[in-house]
Amino acid sequence: MDEKTRKARHERLWRADHRHLWHPFTQMSDWLREEPLIVDAAEGSYLVDTLGNRYLDGVSSLWCNVHGHRVPEIDQAIAAQLGRVAHSTLLGLASTASIECAEELARVVPPGLTRVFFSDAGATAVEIALKMAFQHHQLRGDVERTEFVALRGGYHGDTIGAVSLGGIDLFHRIFEPLLFGVHHAPQPYCYRCPLAKAWPECGMACADEVEKIFAARPGKIAALVLEPVMQGADGMIAQPPGYVRRMRELCDRHGALLVCDEVATGFGRTGTLFAVEQEGVLPDILTVAKGITGGYLPLAATVTTERIFESFLGAYEEKRTFFHGHTYAGNPLACAAATASIRLLRERRVVEGLPAKIAALSRALEPAARMAHVGEVRQRGLMVGIELVADRETRAEYAYGLRAGHQVILEARRLGAILRPLGNVVVLLPPLALGAAELEALAGIALASIEKVTARL
Ligand code: PMP
């Protein structure tokens, strides 16, 4: 394509985007004033825009890409599936691709999690977990267990059940009249401890607060739902080690289920295939999505133990059935991609290769510790949040309207990397396939952008 045709095509698409699209989590009046970056193609871990510019995919196309883009093995698996059937239903029928995918998934999740309920987004996986936990207790005659506990700062998706669990005021507060009541426990956020204590002298006082909620509602709590190890969407809030284990013990003591939402942390992001492995924890219900297909197609799964599955068994007329299902649940194309991606994780020994990459990224981020406007760098595996502050001493935050994070990512684009901030937190969440040199380049771009933008804020 010559330069002129390329530019004309870009401009036509730009106009059409501005005329018809409503972008998620985007202030559209800002959007309509700016020229959009239009992704047109990809090569490995680089995205290519309509003007032919290449950018490192620094947030894995919203935390889901694993092996890079256009991976021959995954492309071929989808093409082969297309040659058989693109979609058939799981309601009353089985399908080859969903069976194979469930089998692969069951092999890699923590032992004890055996039953896979498919859906198509992280939010649906969480809705399913909520309803499953609730109905499980009902079916066992524990009918008073109808309440849920979640963490402040938690994010589980944008459907109403998931928003009820959510604890990010900016996203969730306006919907409060629509939500069901959830007990929200203080956020394990050591840099800005809501209890004004310091780790480890605090003895994990935030975990004691969760215990108090349980103790105040004996026999009432159906489940505790949390993002283990790292709360993603609130700004990569890393939990103190042992936190998830404490939560498991607490659930066991009080007869509640533990639901671990690994939609973001799953499939190697935190350095282990699942974050709960680091805490030696087996959840009763695990939710996964994003990286399950290698970041190719929408697929999610709510994975549970035999114990929970068995609560739902009974004679037809007892109506113990789990009356829930989405049209595209277990879509064969998505399942074929997931099976191929999980196999690649195993064949390429991706998780085994992570420690060297994680160390390279940490080293490359070391200069941040001396930067005037970096409050904290939080890293778990290849999930990183760099919290910008107006003042390091007082930890004062940049005003919301300054859009500090946004300005940093615009600068990063000029330097050749796509990032997406969470407020004042600059997020790095690269595909696991990135090599050490690319990780260093990504960290370098992020730090240079932070330096430049914060110098003028
Ligand atoms: N749970 C967690 C922990 C997430 O990070 C997300 C998405 N960022 C979701 C659930 C929702 O996933 P989806 O956007 O696929 O609905």
Side-chain angles (χ1 to χ4, degrees):
M1 206 184 302
D2 65 47
E3 204 48 41
K4 205 164 145 237
T5 317
R6 194 200 287 277
K7 200 144 190 295
R9 177 171 173 262
H10 169 75
E11 279 168 9
R12 186 187 66 73
L13 289 165
W14 171 0
R15 277 194 303 278
D17 177 286
H18 278 195
R19 198 172 318 121
H20 295 298
L21 268 96
W22 187 344
H23 289 262
F25 280 97
T26 301
Q27 176 43 256
M28 289 304 290
S29 54
D30 288 335
W31 179 266
L32 295 175
R33 274 197 297 271
E34 292 171 4
E35 179 175 357
L37 189 162
I38 307 173
V39 174
D40 195 35
E43 289 162 18
S45 294
Y46 289 81
L47 297 170
V48 184
D49 72 9
T50 35
L51 298 171
N53 302 307
R54 284 161 51 89
Y55 307 89
L56 258 176
D57 187 357
V59 286
S60 301
S61 293
L62 215 66
W63 314 356
C64 59
N65 189 281
V66 176
H67 308 285
H69 299 272
R70 292 173 52 208
V71 182
E73 292 86 342
I74 306 179
D75 291 0
Q76 279 154 20
I78 296 169
Q81 185 59 44
L82 265 176
R84 290 194 289 271
V85 58
H87 181 67
S88 68
T89 183
L90 285 194
L91 279 66
L93 292 178
S95 69
T96 323
S98 66
I99 295 169
E100 287 172 355
C101 181
E103 218 176 7
E104 273 310 327
L105 189 57
R107 281 177 71 178
V108 297
V109 292
L113 293 167
T114 48
R115 292 281 165 183
V116 178
F117 194 100
F118 281 121
S119 61
D120 45 29
T124 53
V126 170
E127 296 290 336
I128 289 160
L130 278 175
K131 289 172 72 179
M132 230 176 222
F134 180 91
Q135 190 173 341
H136 163 79
H137 292 299
Q138 295 295 308
L139 294 173
R140 287 164 48 95
D142 214 348
V143 294
E144 302 255 296
R145 286 196 184 272
T146 58
E147 301 174 15
F148 288 86
V149 180
L151 305 186
R152 294 233 57 86
Y155 179 84
H156 302 284
D158 295 323
T159 49
I160 290 298
V163 170
S164 299
L165 292 171
I168 302 181
D169 284 348
L170 176 66
F171 304 162
H172 301 142
R173 180 168 257 165
I174 189 169
F175 299 110
E176 219 162 78
L178 302 180
L179 309 179
F180 60 82
V182 166
H183 304 283
H184 281 102
Q187 185 173 33
Y189 184 5
C190 298
Y191 182 66
R192 298 186 187 279
C193 177
L195 307 173
K197 294 186 188 287
W199 165 259
E201 301 81 53
C202 63
M204 227 188 279
C206 53
D208 298 337
E209 294 298 312
V210 186
E211 178 103 52
K212 284 183 198 161
I213 295 173
F214 276 81
R217 308 292 298 155
K220 302 279 192 204
I221 307 295
L224 165 64
V225 184
L226 57 84
E227 297 158 82
V229 174
M230 187 80 126
Q231 284 181 304
D234 199 39
M236 300 296 148
I237 312 299
Q239 294 153 13
Y243 184 83
V244 186
R245 210 157 42 245
R246 283 279 294 273
M247 296 301 111
R248 175 72 274 181
E249 289 160 11
L250 213 149
C251 287
D252 288 343
R253 251 197 318 282
H254 293 272
L257 300 178
L258 176 66
V259 178
C260 287
D261 178 355
E262 294 230 31
V263 167
T265 53
F267 300 98
R269 296 287 167 199
T270 65
T272 44
L273 196 55
F274 294 96
V276 290
E277 294 170 31
Q278 294 171 31
E279 295 272 309
V281 160
L282 175 66
D284 298 286
I285 305 181
L286 177 77
T287 57
V288 292
K290 290 190 186 281
I292 186 174
T293 59
Y296 263 65
L297 286 163
L299 182 74
T302 307
V303 193
T304 186
T305 57
E306 286 302 293
R307 185 172 85 95
I308 294 186
F309 174 72
E310 282 163 6
S311 309
F312 290 75
L313 301 179
Y316 184 75
E317 58 276 19
E318 284 180 68
K319 298 177 183 162
R320 300 172 77 90
T321 304
F322 188 46
F323 290 106
H324 186 113
H326 300 277
T327 305
Y328 284 104
N331 170 264
L333 291 176
C335 282
T339 302
S341 177
I342 298 169
R343 284 184 184 151
L344 273 185
L345 280 169
R346 194 169 46 244
E347 285 160 18
R348 293 185 179 172
R349 301 177 58 80
V350 172
V351 173
E352 290 81 347
L354 286 177
K357 297 185 183 199
I358 294 165
L361 185 57
S362 308
R363 267 195 310 277
L365 289 168
E366 268 166 19
R370 294 181 292 280
M371 288 170 67
H373 292 284
V374 170
E376 190 183 39
V377 178
R378 295 182 282 272
Q379 181 182 5
R380 291 286 185 273
L382 294 180
M383 289 179 94
V384 178
I386 305 172
E387 182 163 338
L388 308 180
V389 285
D391 186 313
R392 245 169 96 116
E393 282 306 303
T394 62
R395 303 186 179 186
E397 298 177 51
Y398 280 114
Y400 182 70
L402 271 180
R403 304 187 77 195
H406 182 69
Q407 295 199 47
V408 169
I409 68 118
L410 291 183
E411 184 58 32
R413 267 184 213 180
R414 285 188 273 275
L415 300 177
I418 300 285
L419 300 177
R420 181 169 167 83
L422 292 162
N424 292 329
V425 176
V426 176
V427 174
L428 305 186
L429 216 152
L432 305 187
L434 233 59
E438 289 168 314
L439 287 167
E440 282 157 17
L442 179 66
I445 290 174
L447 298 191
S449 307
I450 291 170
E451 189 76 68
K452 182 159 178 194
V453 168
T454 55
R456 66 166 190 247
L457 276 181

